[in-house]
């Protein structure tokens, strides 16, 4: 018989799932040139609201031509942190380190009464520019998201190596599929979403686990297991259905004999 656990009304410490103690399936966001920024930042905004959770966005790689657009869109959509996250010791530690480094940040700002001096609002989400997670305690979630600017895809492997985070997937937003595939292969991650994120991988997972190249169209998405550098990668992107089979022509109803007789009499008259 299992031992009885004494009843307690006390809730577990925030967040309660251990996601502040270790990285749980962190992801990477890559914004390429001419990408759809509004769609790309949706999972990032969820992370900025609640930075201690599984499957959060730990880092963002942004093409240099998209940096200002990205910054404006994120700031316009930012909300303050969950109140427990804003009081978490790791968030406070990260904020102290940011001040020590004098790092550039993207955050919610408020001004004094004459609008002369601006400073970070209490409990604001923070994106730190050009510093990696190791500066803020990268062995566990730091409550901040790091942003790196790149000029070409050749720089991506080095940026991934700098972060030293166990990324399980990446979301690449790029309007040109050839460039998106090149970016996906440069990241060196097992799972890459192109112009989408967090799509269920059930339709293709059997082939991926078997390390067998395969292509499936399911749930309006293209799933592909492709071999690259002696290793299989899983790539997913939306596949819009623009064609459907036409309905077969319906046979005309046969005329009744009585109707045919009436037609003959009319013709004789």
């Amino acid at each position: 018989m299992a031992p009885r656990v004494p009843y307690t009304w006390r809730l577990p410490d925030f967040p309660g799932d251990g996601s502040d103690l270790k990285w749980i399936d962190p992801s990477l966001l890559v914004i390429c040139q001419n990408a759809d920024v509004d769609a790309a930042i949706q999972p990032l905004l969820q992370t900025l609201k609640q930075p201690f959770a599984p499957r959060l966005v730990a880092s963002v790689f942004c093409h240099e031509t998209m940096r200002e657009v990205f910054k404006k869109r994120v700031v316009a959509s930012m909300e303050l942190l969950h109140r427990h996250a804003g009081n978490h010791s790791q968030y406070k530690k990260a904020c102290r380190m940011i001040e020590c480094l004098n790092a550039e940040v993207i955050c919610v700002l408020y001004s004094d009464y004459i609008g002369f001096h601006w400073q970070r609002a209490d409990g604001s989400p923070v994106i730190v520019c050009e510093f990696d997670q190791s500066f803020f305690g990268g062995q566990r979630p730091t409550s901040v998201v790091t942003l790196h600017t790149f000029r070409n895809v050749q720089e991506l492997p080095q940026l991934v190596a700098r972060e030293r985070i166990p990324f399980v997937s990446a979301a690449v937003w790029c309007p040109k599929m050839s460039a998106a595939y090149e970016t996906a292969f440069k990241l060196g991650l097992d799972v890459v979403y192109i112009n989408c994120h967090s799509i269920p991988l059930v339709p293709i997972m059997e082939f991926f686990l078997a390390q067998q190249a395969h292509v499936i169209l399911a749930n309006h998405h293209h799933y592909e297991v492709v071999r690259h550098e002696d290793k299989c990668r899983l790539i997913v992107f939306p596949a819009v259905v623009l064609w459907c089979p036409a309905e077969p022509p319906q046979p005309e109803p046969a005329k009744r004999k009585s109707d045919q007789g009436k037609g003959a009499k009319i013709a004789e008259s």
Side-chain angles (χ1 to χ4, degrees), residues 200-267:
L201 303 177
V202 175
I204 197 71
M205 187 54 68
E206 177 183 356
F207 298 94
F208 179 65
L209 295 177
Q211 295 290 283
Q212 178 181 347
H214 198 74
V215 175
I216 290 179
L217 289 175
N219 304 324
H220 299 287
H221 283 81
H222 173 104
Y223 297 83
E224 179 176 3
V225 177
V226 58
R227 183 167 294 277
H228 178 256
E229 295 183 350
D230 296 328
K231 189 171 183 179
C232 283
R233 314 288 185 187
L234 199 164
I235 296 178
V236 184
F237 60 84
V240 180
V241 178
L242 300 177
W243 173 87
C244 61
E247 295 184 1
Q250 299 295 328
E252 295 182 0
K255 295 183 178 181
R256 293 181 300 177
K257 292 183 178 181
S258 58
D259 294 339
Q260 294 177 358
K262 292 179 180 178
K265 290 181 180 179
I266 293 173

Side-chain angles (χ1 to χ4, degrees), residues 69-242:
V69 175
F70 168 80
K71 180 178 178 180
K72 291 179 181 179
R73 301 292 173 81
V74 170
V75 170
S77 303
M78 268 186 174
E79 299 180 13
L80 295 180
L81 289 170
H82 184 287
R83 61 186 182 88
H84 290 304
N87 292 321
H88 200 285
S89 60
Q90 288 167 219
Y91 171 75
K92 294 181 178 180
K93 177 182 177 182
C95 290
R96 291 194 296 269
M97 180 57 69
I98 290 170
E99 294 177 1
C100 179
L101 296 171
N102 195 24
E104 178 188 357
V105 296
I106 301 173
C107 61
V108 178
L109 299 173
Y110 76 91
S111 66
D112 56 17
Y113 66 95
I114 61 174
F116 178 74
H117 179 69
W118 291 78
Q119 63 181 14
R120 178 174 51 84
D122 292 337
S124 168
V126 179
I127 299 177
V128 187
C129 303
E130 312 308 333
F131 283 91
D132 55 74
Q133 290 281 0
S134 63
F135 284 88
F136 312 101
Q139 297 299 320
R140 57 172 61 186
T142 61
S143 78
V144 301
V145 176
T146 55
L147 171 67
H148 300 278
T149 307
F150 67 95
R151 293 171 294 178
N152 54 68
V153 295
Q154 310 304 325
E155 300 175 352
L156 295 180
Q158 182 180 1
L159 293 177
V160 174
R162 276 180 53 187
E163 282 294 354
R164 298 193 292 275
I165 292 178
F167 295 114
V168 297
S169 65
V172 175
W173 290 82
C174 181
K176 191 175 181 180
M177 290 304 298
S178 60
Y181 265 75
E182 182 182 8
T183 302
F185 292 144
K186 285 294 182 181
L187 295 174
L189 302 179
D190 289 342
V191 180
V192 177
Y193 301 93
I194 297 177
N195 296 329
C196 61
H197 62 88
S198 302
I199 303 300
L201 303 177
V202 175
I204 197 71
M205 187 54 68
E206 177 183 356
F207 298 94
F208 179 65
L209 295 177
Q211 295 290 283
Q212 178 181 347
H214 198 74
V215 175
I216 290 179
L217 289 175
N219 304 324
H220 299 287
H221 283 81
H222 173 104
Y223 297 83
E224 179 176 3
V225 177
V226 58
R227 183 167 294 277
H228 178 256
E229 295 183 350
D230 296 328
K231 189 171 183 179
C232 283
R233 314 288 185 187
L234 199 164
I235 296 178
V236 184
F237 60 84
V240 180
V241 178
L242 300 177

